[in-house]
Amino acid sequence: MQNNRHNQRGLTLLELLITTGILMITITLTLPSLTSVVGNNQLNATTDTLRKAITLVRAESIKRGHRVVGCLSDKPDACNSSRPLQLLVFSDRDRTGDPTTTGDLIKIVELDYPTITTSYNRSYLAFSPLGYASGTNGTFKVCHRNGQGELLVISTLGRIRKAVDYDGDGLVEKTPGTPITC
């Protein structure tokens, strides 16, 4: 019997330990940045979903020729912004700010990520048949639990704008010099 070491295949224990060590170091260095990327993607996805929902509220009010409301809620039949999981879009002919019948409900837009909180500075957002938002400018704040946030500002004319970082410090600001806090 001849033992020829050149024909043997496999890894030695030392090679396996070195490879595992390099892999662990790589994972340790990249995990925080991956978490940040995932948080940014969730934040952007929620903000885009909210922007589309606001556009739907406005378009429905123009199409239907009467007041349509969008409100944050945790249940499908009434506005309740304490822990919003969705945005209700409904006809509000009686101007109560809540859907009075199931027929009033146009759409329920799910806000999918449990790591995201969404708030609005009013109890609801209403658009007139001309596409104008009721009252003064409204602001939706979307915050991730990592501290990052976005603002959607709705003008009285129905225009939606996303707040930006005016001074380049990495913080989104509603107006120059006023960063949002999450």
Side-chain angles (χ1 to χ4, degrees):
M1 285 204 218
Q2 225 178 24
N3 190 359
N4 189 352
R5 297 188 78 192
H6 295 291
N7 291 334
Q8 293 178 352
R9 293 181 182 239
L11 299 172
T12 65
L13 181 60
L14 182 61
E15 291 170 332
L16 191 59
L17 287 173
I18 289 171
T19 304
T20 305
I22 291 171
L23 182 63
M24 293 305 288
I25 290 169
T26 304
I27 290 172
T28 303
L29 293 175
T30 59
L31 191 59
S33 64
L34 286 175
T35 304
S36 177
V37 167
V38 169
N40 281 339
N41 286 344
Q42 290 175 345
L43 187 64
N44 288 334
T46 302
T47 304
D48 288 343
T49 299
L50 202 51
R51 179 191 292 260
K52 289 174 188 173
I54 295 165
T55 302
L56 173 70
V57 175
R58 184 172 188 256
E60 286 293 325
S61 70
I62 294 168
K63 179 178 93 175
R64 293 169 185 260
H66 63 265
R67 180 174 143 128
V68 174
V69 169
C71 70
L72 295 170
S73 182
D74 59 353
K75 49 189 171 183
D77 57 351
C79 296
N80 176 7
S81 61
S82 62
R83 178 62 182 113
L85 305 172
Q86 58 206 2
L87 183 88
L88 303 180
V89 179
F90 59 92
S91 291
D92 191 30
R93 289 180 188 232
D94 58 2
R95 303 180 71 80
T96 61
D98 274 316
T100 39
T101 67
T102 55
D104 289 341
L105 199 58
I106 297 169
K107 185 168 185 165
I108 297 175
V109 179
E110 298 293 329
L111 305 174
D112 294 329
Y113 300 104
T115 56
I116 301 286
T117 56
T118 307
S119 61
Y120 186 57
N121 63 342
R122 292 175 185 40
S123 51
Y124 55 83
L125 170 65
F127 283 100
S128 74
L130 295 175
Y132 298 149
S134 299
T136 60
N137 287 357
T139 305
F140 280 93
K141 185 190 312 187
V142 182
C143 292
H144 192 272
R145 70 175 169 208
N146 66 9
Q148 297 170 320
E150 295 284 345
L151 287 178
L152 289 178
V153 181
I154 300 95
S155 75
T156 55
L157 295 177
R159 181 178 165 264
I160 305 166
R161 76 172 171 88
K162 191 173 178 181
V164 296
D165 176 14
Y166 288 101
D167 55 11
D169 62 357
L171 300 173
V172 176
E173 300 156 326
K174 184 175 180 180
T175 56
T178 313
I180 67 167
T181 55
C182 285

